[in-house]
């Protein structure tokens, strides 16, 4: 008879995400996960099979958290250009409000593990493609509503915005000056107008 989990799996994933986000995948030991989650090693292995699988679940949970935030933003925006601005404001607020800004867990994962692990590369590629697709949709609608210029096609602007968001999130780990960070956003958005 299989063992029944007697713990809150989502709480464990949240705690594991915190330690992976803080230390990265490679620097996080099983003992770190035991200490962070309060589970013993066998419970972690029985529930998640491996550190690697737990890490993938943490990435998925983090991604889902941002999907919810982005859905809320899209619902509040009056138009596609405003939605793009709200996305940047979300990242700006996180960068300037969080006391121990560790950056984006997914961006950090790209720096550490992209192209080193097939399952993680697949996850990161899918995540990237979803974000670019969202940006393509917003830019195309913005162009159709004459809110975004047509100097470039919507696909070119979408990949530019994706790179700008990724760069902003990486830069904001080190640069905490609100004026400088806002200038990055303003320059990026100005390109679309």
């Amino acid at each position: 008879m299989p063992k029944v989990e007697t713990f809150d799996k989502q709480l464990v994933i949240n705690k594991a995400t915190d330690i992976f986000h803080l230390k990265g995948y490679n620097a996080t030991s099983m003992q770190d996960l035991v200490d962070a989650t309060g589970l013993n090693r066998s419970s972690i292995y029985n529930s998640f099979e491996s550190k690697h699988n737990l890490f993938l679940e943490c990435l998925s949970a983090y991604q889902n958290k941002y999907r919810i935030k982005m859905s809320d933003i899209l619902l509040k925006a009056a138009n596609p250009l405003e939605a793009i601005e709200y996305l940047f404001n979300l990242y700006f607020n996180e960068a300037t409000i969080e006391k121990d800004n560790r950056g984006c867990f997914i961006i950090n994962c790209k720096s550490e593990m992209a192209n080193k692990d097939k399952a993680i590369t697949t996850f990161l590629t899918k995540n990237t493609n979803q974000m670019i697709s969202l940006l393509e949709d917003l830019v195309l609608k913005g162009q159709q509503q004459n809110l975004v210029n047509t100097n470039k096609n919507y696909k070119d602007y979408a990949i530019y915005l994706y790179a700008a968001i990724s760069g902003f999130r990486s830069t904001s780990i080190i640069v905490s000056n609100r004026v400088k960070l806002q200038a990055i956003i303003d320059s990026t958005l100005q390109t679309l107008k």
Side-chain angles (χ1 to χ4, degrees), residues 53-72:
N53 286 347
L54 175 55
F55 185 72
L56 285 169
E57 288 208 35
C58 292
L59 283 172
S60 292
Y62 186 87
Q63 179 188 50
N64 288 334
K65 179 177 88 168
Y66 271 89
R67 276 196 188 126
I68 292 167
K69 287 181 179 185
M70 286 192 286
S71 293
D72 290 345

Side-chain angles (χ1 to χ4, degrees), residues 8-190:
D8 182 339
K9 189 172 182 179
Q10 191 55 53
L11 181 62
V12 168
I13 289 171
N14 291 343
K15 289 179 177 184
T17 299
D18 285 343
I19 195 70
F20 280 130
H21 196 173
L22 178 65
K23 298 183 86 171
Y25 178 80
N26 291 313
T28 299
S29 68
M30 281 305 291
Q31 188 59 49
D32 292 328
L33 293 169
V34 166
D35 294 343
T37 64
L39 297 177
N40 60 41
R41 288 172 195 257
S42 63
S43 292
I44 293 172
Y45 284 118
N46 287 336
S47 299
F48 301 101
E49 297 180 10
S50 66
K51 172 184 161 182
H52 184 266
N53 286 347
L54 175 55
F55 185 72
L56 285 169
E57 288 208 35
C58 292
L59 283 172
S60 292
Y62 186 87
Q63 179 188 50
N64 288 334
K65 179 177 88 168
Y66 271 89
R67 276 196 188 126
I68 292 167
K69 287 181 179 185
M70 286 192 286
S71 293
D72 290 345
I73 284 169
L74 297 175
L75 291 173
K76 291 176 186 174
N79 60 60
L81 186 58
E82 189 173 86
I84 294 167
E85 186 175 349
Y86 284 0
L87 284 174
F88 274 99
N89 288 337
L90 167 67
Y91 305 133
F92 175 84
N93 289 334
E94 288 179 352
T96 57
I97 292 171
E98 290 181 8
K99 294 176 188 164
D100 64 341
N101 185 14
R102 296 177 266 173
C104 171
F105 183 38
I106 293 174
I107 298 284
N108 295 350
C109 177
K110 281 182 187 179
S111 296
E112 181 182 13
M113 306 211 34
N115 300 321
K116 293 180 184 173
D117 178 284
K118 186 176 180 180
I120 291 174
T121 300
T122 299
F123 171 87
L124 294 171
T125 301
K126 184 177 178 184
N127 181 70
T128 297
N129 291 339
Q130 289 170 344
M131 186 64 175
I132 290 171
S133 179
L134 169 68
L135 292 168
E136 286 176 349
D137 186 55
L138 291 172
V139 172
L140 179 61
K141 287 178 180 171
Q143 288 178 327
Q144 291 169 342
Q145 296 174 24
N146 295 319
L147 299 168
V148 174
N149 71 56
T150 55
N151 296 341
K152 301 272 185 197
N153 71 53
Y154 70 97
K155 290 182 181 255
D156 290 342
Y157 274 140
I159 196 75
Y160 165 75
L161 287 171
Y162 178 78
I165 288 168
S166 297
F168 179 84
R169 297 196 83 185
S170 293
T171 300
S172 67
I173 296 170
I174 302 298
V175 176
S176 59
N177 182 294
R178 294 174 65 89
V179 173
K180 289 180 181 179
L181 292 175
Q182 187 62 54
I184 295 169
I185 294 170
D186 294 344
S187 296
T188 303
L189 295 176
Q190 191 60 42

